[in-house]
Every structure is written in C-alpha cells, then in structure tokens.
Amino acid sequence: MPLGSAPSAIYIQNAAPGFISSPGRAPISVTVHPVALFSILDHYLRRTDAQERVIGTLLGTRSDNGEVEVRSSFAVLHSETEEQVAVDMEYHRTMYELHHKVNSKEVIVGWYSTGSNLNTYAALIQNFYSQETAPHQAVHLALNTGVEEGEQAGVKAYVGSPVGVFPKPENCVFVPIPCELRFHEAERSGLDLLTSTATTSTLTVPHPTTDLEILERSLQAVSDMIDRVLSYVRSVLAGDAKGDAAVGRYLMDTLGASAEDLEKGGFNASLQDTLMVSYLASLVRSQAEVSSRLALVTAS
C-alpha cells in the first residue's frame, strides 16, 4: 500500500550510517510453515496495482544450532520510488507487539518480499531488519509467485553479508541458505482439502476427509512416488535421461538413512516386539481357556 505523509514512516536512504553486522550465529537453514506462506500469498493478492512487490515481517523461533523456523508473518506498509524506500516502522512494531501478546515464543526472525529482485532497496531493508533482530542475523525470504513470464514459482531464503572495506547499508550480498516447506500432521487434512479444490472443475468445496481416506491417499501417494522414482532411475541407467546430481544425492541420503536403520536392527527390534505381543496374547488366551475348563471340572 502506498504511504502518505505519516510521521511513523522511516525513510531508508543510502546516506544511512554503516552496515549493521549482527555478531550472532548465522542461520544455516530455514523452515517455513504453511500459515506463513499463505499469509504472504494473501498479502500479495491484496496489493494495489501500483505495487510491484510487497514486504512483511517474519515471526518464528531460532535454535542453538542456527536453524530458523518461520511460523507466521504479517504485512508491513511500505513505499518504493526511484529515490528512496519508506517503511512504516510504527505499524511494524505495533503489529509485532500484538503478535507477541498472543504468542510470546515467536520473535522477529527476518522479513519477506515477493519477486526475485534483490536490489539496493532490498539491502537497505535487510539492514533495517538486522537492527530489529540483533544480535542475530535477519533472514530474507523471497517468494516468487510465478506470475511473471519466465519466472518459476518458489521460495528462497537468504542472509545478508556486508561487502567492502568500509561496509555500507546498500553494499550487501545476499547469500542463499537451504529453505524447506514443512507442515505438521495436524495440518495435513487442511492442506489436502485446499489442494483438492485446485484440481476440481466445480466451485463447490468438498467436505473434510476422514482419517481412513487420508491414510488411503497417503499410501497411494507413496506408491506413486516409488513408481516415479523407479521409472526415473531406470531411465537414467538406460541412458534415456540425464541424471540430476541433486536428485541422486537426495535419494542416496533418504535410502541410506533407511538402510542404516535396518542395519542397526530397528526393523528386527520392531518385529520382535510384535511377536512378543502376539505370544503374550496367545498365552493369556490359553490361560483363560484352562481356567474355564478347571471351573467346569470343579462344578461337576
């Protein structure tokens, strides 16, 4: 939304003092939950025609090993021109105080923007949020909606790194870090309901699925993924398709972890537990039958 002459707007210009470098541990990975992602998409759909992109604040938690978990987000009013970018700082801090009252565990972990344009203004906004997240580094989440031609939809995460002997706010390099979309099991039914509406031609909203239907769809999805992986591996081995190193490493890590669990005896231990439960159930059944026969003998 365009900003008026509100006194709460802070104009971030190139004449700002030196780059704010946070001494905290640099984030090594970012996990985004569906609630935050849907909030960003909703903000993008409600933008004005004059806005090329929207920005907002990311809320979540940090771990000691550098992992950042983005759980929610809220929009921030800003305005961009060729000369400067303005951010409504009072609105940003008021919204954070309201969110903090609802969930005190969530803190500011960074900011988001739509599109893939990492320009000088993005560096200035990154510097502003680095002050909000100090002593930790701010995470920048770039969401590409795929609306523009030639652009692929996706989510990428970055951290800012100063450049030059005398770093300035506008001299910043965005270093990509791993980003993953993750949801809890309790959110699966809601996500499945949303995705099912995208594939239907009618405007009617389907009813929520039951647990058995979710299990059936999950098993079918796993079976389809296994068939797709087998088809891909066979085509690569036959030379019909060119192998992707990233896909190969992912499959090796996934299947290697499963094989390692089997080697450690996890499957055998589970099988022994199942057999033990079956044996105890059979023993109890036999004891009950013997007791009933003894009761009949005593009665006669």
Side-chain angles (χ1 to χ4, degrees), residues 208-280:
T209 55
T210 61
D211 294 339
L212 290 178
E213 292 176 346
I214 294 174
L215 179 60
E216 181 183 1
R217 292 181 182 179
S218 300
L219 294 176
Q220 184 63 37
V222 171
S223 178
D224 295 339
M225 286 189 288
I226 292 176
D227 294 338
R228 187 169 55 185
V229 169
L230 287 175
S231 177
Y232 170 76
V233 172
R234 289 169 181 169
S235 61
V236 171
L237 293 177
D240 299 334
K242 184 179 180 181
D244 190 348
V247 176
R249 285 193 296 268
Y250 181 79
L251 291 176
M252 185 175 63
D253 294 340
T254 304
L255 299 178
S258 301
E260 184 179 356
D261 293 339
L262 292 177
E263 291 176 358
K264 290 181 179 179
F267 177 77
N268 293 332
S270 178
L271 180 59
Q272 290 177 1
D273 293 340
T274 304
L275 294 175
M276 178 60 71
V277 171
S278 177
Y279 171 73
L280 292 176

